[in-house]
Amino acid sequence: MTEGYDYHFLILAPGLQGAWFFQAARQYWQRFQPIVTDEWELLAYIPEEAKVAVTLLARPDTAEYAREQIEAQREGVTLDMVVASDLPMMETILNARAESGRPFG
């Protein structure tokens, strides 16, 4: 698990297709191995005492909505938002994190 957290989720915001994970986040997942989902409701089932980090992949038009939904599911979540308007930019951001060993921006 990502250092300092009991759970690290990689959540895809509404409207992101599988390529946003399989292409853009491939190296990121291989390096940090977060739990990948598009169901933020899962956060409500994590024990209260657990430290939870969420890396949210979103486009600018859905970022705020997704942030609100995640924060409504769980108090105290560490939210790391990665917002990009296109797949190549998201891939560049996530690959740089994987290469530098820094899961959060």
Side-chain angles (χ1 to χ4, degrees):
M1 202 46 44
T2 304
E3 191 173 321
Y5 293 95
D6 299 308
Y7 296 91
H8 178 199
F9 287 88
L10 177 72
I11 296 181
L12 281 72
L16 294 187
Q17 303 301 318
W20 287 75
F21 170 69
F22 290 109
Q23 180 179 336
R26 183 179 53 84
Q27 286 183 13
Y28 183 89
W29 185 86
Q30 289 174 329
R31 178 73 187 260
F32 305 114
Q33 298 186 342
I35 300 165
V36 179
T37 186
D38 61 357
E39 300 289 332
W40 48 65
E41 295 87 358
L42 292 175
L43 298 172
Y45 296 101
I46 303 299
E48 288 183 29
E49 66 276 2
K51 290 186 176 183
V52 178
V54 172
T55 299
L56 170 66
L57 306 187
R59 291 188 312 249
D61 62 330
T62 60
E64 185 61 22
Y65 171 76
R67 182 191 64 76
E68 290 171 358
Q69 296 303 310
I70 289 168
E71 290 177 347
Q73 295 300 314
R74 181 177 180 84
E75 289 185 27
V77 67
T78 300
L79 182 57
D80 171 46
M81 295 181 61
V82 183
V83 181
S85 56
D86 60 44
L87 186 62
M89 179 56 73
M90 182 69 72
E91 185 174 16
T92 298
I93 294 167
L94 294 174
N95 285 350
R97 288 181 177 198
E99 291 166 8
S100 70
R102 297 186 58 195
F104 309 115

